[in-house]
Amino acid sequence: MADSSFDIVSKVERQEVDNALNQAAKEISQRYDFKGVGASISWSGEKILMEANSEDRVNAVLDVFQSKLIKRGISLKALDAGEPQLSGKEYKIFASIEEGISQDNAKKVAKIIRDEGPKGVKAQVQGDELRVSSKSRDDLQAVIALLKGKDFDFALQFVNYR
C-alpha cells in the first residue's frame, strides 16, 4: 500500500487580498471619521500602501484593512505591516503579503513533527513547502491536529491530502 501524504504550505489567495483591499478602500472613502484626512489604501507594486495625515488615522486605516482580511478568511500572520513613517505632511504604512515557508521555519515544523508527532511520519522540505507522509492516515490527522495546536508566527494551510 502506498503512503498517504499532505503538503504544508503558506499561501494567500491574491484575489481575496485584492477584494479585502477594495472593501477597505470603499469603507474608508465613506466613513465620517476619515473625511478630510487624506486617508487612502492602495496597491503600490507588490506592497500595500496606506496613507493619512496623522499617525492615528493611518493606524485606523490598517485596522480597517485587517478586519476585512479576517472577514475574507486570510490569516493576519500573512500580513507584514511596517511602522507608520512620516513622509512630507503624510504618514504612510507599507505592508506586504508573506507567502511561502522559509527554510528555517520549514525545519522548525519538521523538527516538531519528528519530536512530538506519531512514529513513522516523515516530513521533507520541498522548496517553500513541506511534504508529510505516513502509511497511516490517522497519523497524518494527528500531525495536522498537533500543528494546529501550535502557535507559529506564519500562516499554515494543509493541502493535497491523499
Side-chain angles (χ1 to χ4, degrees), residues 93-126:
I93 294 179
F94 285 99
S96 60
I97 302 296
E98 300 291 321
E99 289 193 298
I101 302 174
S102 70
Q103 290 292 326
D104 293 342
N105 288 337
K107 287 177 183 172
K108 282 183 205 169
V109 173
K111 182 170 175 21
I112 289 173
I113 292 170
R114 264 196 321 276
D115 294 347
E116 300 177 30
K119 297 289 178 232
V121 175
K122 295 184 283 293
Q124 60 197 90
V125 179
Q126 296 181 334

Coordinates of all heavy atoms in Angstrom, one line a residue, residues 93-126:
I93 N 2.1 53.7 5.8 CA 2.5 52.4 6.2 C 2.6 51.5 5.0 O 1.6 51.5 4.2 CB 1.4 51.8 7.2 CG1 1.3 52.5 8.5 CG2 1.7 50.3 7.4 CD1 0.3 52.0 9.5
F94 N 3.7 50.8 4.8 CA 3.8 49.9 3.7 C 3.6 48.5 4.3 O 4.2 48.2 5.4 CB 5.2 50.0 3.1 CG 5.4 51.2 2.2 CD1 6.0 52.3 2.6 CD2 4.9 51.1 0.9 CE1 6.1 53.4 1.8 CE2 5.0 52.2 0.1 CZ 5.6 53.4 0.5
A95 N 2.8 47.7 3.7 CA 2.5 46.3 4.1 C 2.8 45.4 3.0 O 2.5 45.7 1.8 CB 1.1 46.2 4.7
S96 N 3.2 44.2 3.3 CA 3.4 43.2 2.2 C 2.7 41.9 2.7 O 2.5 41.6 3.9 CB 4.8 42.9 1.9 OG 5.5 42.5 3.1
I97 N 2.4 41.0 1.7 CA 1.8 39.7 2.0 C 2.9 38.7 1.9 O 3.5 38.5 0.9 CB 0.6 39.4 1.0 CG1 -0.4 40.5 1.0 CG2 0.0 38.1 1.2 CD1 -1.2 40.6 2.3
E98 N 3.1 38.0 3.0 CA 4.2 37.0 3.1 C 3.6 35.6 2.6 O 2.6 35.2 3.1 CB 4.7 36.8 4.5 CG 5.2 38.1 5.1 CD 6.6 38.5 4.4 OE1 7.4 37.6 4.1 OE2 6.7 39.7 4.3
E99 N 4.3 35.0 1.7 CA 3.9 33.7 1.2 C 5.1 32.8 1.2 O 6.3 33.2 1.1 CB 3.4 33.8 -0.3 CG 2.0 34.4 -0.3 CD 1.4 34.2 -1.7 OE1 1.9 34.7 -2.7 OE2 0.3 33.6 -1.7
G100 N 4.8 31.5 1.3 CA 5.9 30.5 1.3 C 6.5 30.3 2.7 O 6.4 31.2 3.5
I101 N 7.0 29.1 3.0 CA 7.6 28.8 4.3 C 9.1 28.9 4.1 O 9.6 28.2 3.2 CB 7.2 27.4 4.7 CG1 5.7 27.3 4.9 CG2 7.8 27.1 6.1 CD1 5.2 25.9 5.2
S102 N 9.8 29.7 4.8 CA 11.2 29.8 4.7 C 11.9 28.5 5.1 O 11.3 27.7 5.8 CB 11.7 31.0 5.6 OG 11.6 30.6 7.0
Q103 N 13.1 28.3 4.7 CA 13.9 27.1 5.1 C 13.9 26.9 6.6 O 13.7 25.8 7.1 CB 15.3 27.1 4.5 CG 15.3 27.0 3.0 CD 14.9 25.6 2.5 OE1 15.2 24.6 3.2 NE2 14.2 25.6 1.4
D104 N 14.2 28.0 7.3 CA 14.3 27.8 8.8 C 13.0 27.4 9.4 O 12.9 26.5 10.3 CB 14.8 29.2 9.4 CG 16.2 29.5 9.0 OD1 16.9 28.6 8.6 OD2 16.5 30.7 9.1
N105 N 11.9 28.1 9.0 CA 10.6 27.7 9.5 C 10.2 26.3 9.1 O 9.6 25.6 9.9 CB 9.5 28.7 9.0 CG 9.7 30.1 9.7 OD1 10.2 30.2 10.8 ND2 9.2 31.1 9.0
A106 N 10.5 25.9 7.9 CA 10.2 24.5 7.5 C 11.0 23.5 8.4 O 10.4 22.5 8.7 CB 10.6 24.3 6.0
K107 N 12.2 23.8 8.7 CA 13.0 22.9 9.6 C 12.4 22.8 11.0 O 12.4 21.8 11.6 CB 14.4 23.4 9.6 CG 15.2 23.1 8.3 CD 16.6 23.6 8.4 CE 17.3 23.4 7.0 NZ 18.6 24.0 7.0
K108 N 11.9 24.0 11.5 CA 11.3 24.0 12.8 C 10.0 23.1 12.8 O 9.8 22.3 13.7 CB 10.8 25.4 13.2 CG 11.9 26.3 13.6 CD 11.3 27.7 14.0 CE 12.3 28.8 13.9 NZ 11.7 30.1 14.1
V109 N 9.2 23.2 11.7 CA 8.0 22.4 11.7 C 8.3 20.9 11.6 O 7.7 20.1 12.2 CB 7.1 22.9 10.5 CG1 5.9 21.9 10.3 CG2 6.6 24.3 10.7
A110 N 9.3 20.6 10.7 CA 9.7 19.2 10.6 C 10.2 18.7 11.9 O 10.0 17.5 12.2 CB 10.8 19.1 9.5
K111 N 11.0 19.5 12.6 CA 11.5 19.0 13.9 C 10.4 18.7 14.9 O 10.4 17.7 15.6 CB 12.5 20.1 14.5 CG 13.1 19.7 15.8 CD 14.2 20.6 16.2 CE 14.8 20.3 17.6 NZ 14.7 19.0 18.1
I112 N 9.4 19.6 14.9 CA 8.2 19.4 15.8 C 7.5 18.1 15.4 O 7.1 17.3 16.3 CB 7.2 20.6 15.7 CG1 7.8 21.8 16.4 CG2 5.9 20.2 16.3 CD1 7.1 23.1 16.3
I113 N 7.3 17.8 14.1 CA 6.7 16.6 13.6 C 7.5 15.4 14.1 O 7.0 14.4 14.6 CB 6.5 16.6 12.1 CG1 5.4 17.7 11.7 CG2 6.0 15.3 11.6 CD1 5.3 18.0 10.3
R114 N 8.8 15.5 13.9 CA 9.7 14.3 14.3 C 9.6 14.1 15.8 O 9.5 13.0 16.3 CB 11.1 14.6 13.9 CG 11.6 14.0 12.6 CD 13.1 14.0 12.5 NE 13.8 15.2 13.0 CZ 13.9 16.3 12.3 NH1 13.4 16.5 11.1 NH2 14.6 17.3 12.8
D115 N 9.7 15.2 16.6 CA 9.8 15.1 18.1 C 8.5 14.7 18.7 O 8.5 13.9 19.6 CB 10.4 16.3 18.7 CG 11.8 16.6 18.3 OD1 12.5 15.7 17.7 OD2 12.3 17.7 18.5
E116 N 7.4 15.4 18.3 CA 6.1 15.2 19.0 C 5.1 14.4 18.2 O 4.1 14.0 18.8 CB 5.6 16.6 19.3 CG 6.5 17.5 20.2 CD 6.0 18.9 20.4 OE1 4.7 19.0 20.4 OE2 6.8 19.8 20.5
G117 N 5.3 14.2 17.0 CA 4.3 13.5 16.1 C 4.4 12.0 16.3 O 5.3 11.5 17.0
P118 N 3.5 11.3 15.7 CA 3.5 9.8 15.8 C 4.7 9.3 15.1 O 5.3 9.9 14.2 CB 2.2 9.4 15.0 CG 1.4 10.7 14.9 CD 2.3 11.8 15.0
K119 N 5.1 8.1 15.5 CA 6.3 7.4 14.9 C 5.9 7.0 13.5 O 4.7 6.7 13.2 CB 6.7 6.2 15.7 CG 7.1 6.5 17.1 CD 8.5 7.2 17.1 CE 8.9 7.6 18.5 NZ 9.3 9.0 18.6
G120 N 6.9 7.0 12.6 CA 6.6 6.5 11.2 C 6.1 7.7 10.3 O 5.8 7.4 9.2
V121 N 6.1 8.9 10.8 CA 5.7 10.0 10.0 C 6.9 10.7 9.5 O 7.8 11.0 10.2 CB 4.8 11.0 10.8 CG1 4.5 12.2 9.9 CG2 3.5 10.3 11.2
K122 N 7.0 10.9 8.1 CA 8.2 11.5 7.6 C 7.8 12.9 7.1 O 6.7 13.1 6.5 CB 8.7 10.7 6.4 CG 9.2 9.3 6.8 CD 9.8 8.6 5.7 CE 8.8 7.9 4.7 NZ 8.0 6.9 5.2
A123 N 8.7 13.9 7.3 CA 8.5 15.2 6.8 C 9.7 15.7 6.0 O 10.8 15.5 6.5 CB 8.3 16.2 8.0
Q124 N 9.5 16.1 4.8 CA 10.6 16.6 4.0 C 10.3 17.9 3.3 O 9.2 18.2 2.9 CB 11.0 15.5 2.9 CG 9.8 15.2 1.9 CD 10.1 13.9 1.2 OE1 9.7 12.9 1.7 NE2 10.7 14.0 0.1
V125 N 11.3 18.8 3.3 CA 11.2 20.1 2.8 C 11.3 20.1 1.3 O 12.2 19.4 0.7 CB 12.3 21.1 3.3 CG1 12.2 22.4 2.8 CG2 12.3 21.1 4.9
Q126 N 10.4 20.7 0.6 CA 10.4 20.7 -0.9 C 10.2 22.2 -1.3 O 9.0 22.7 -1.4 CB 9.3 19.9 -1.5 CG 9.4 18.4 -1.2 CD 8.3 17.6 -1.8 OE1 7.2 18.0 -2.0 NE2 8.6 16.3 -2.1

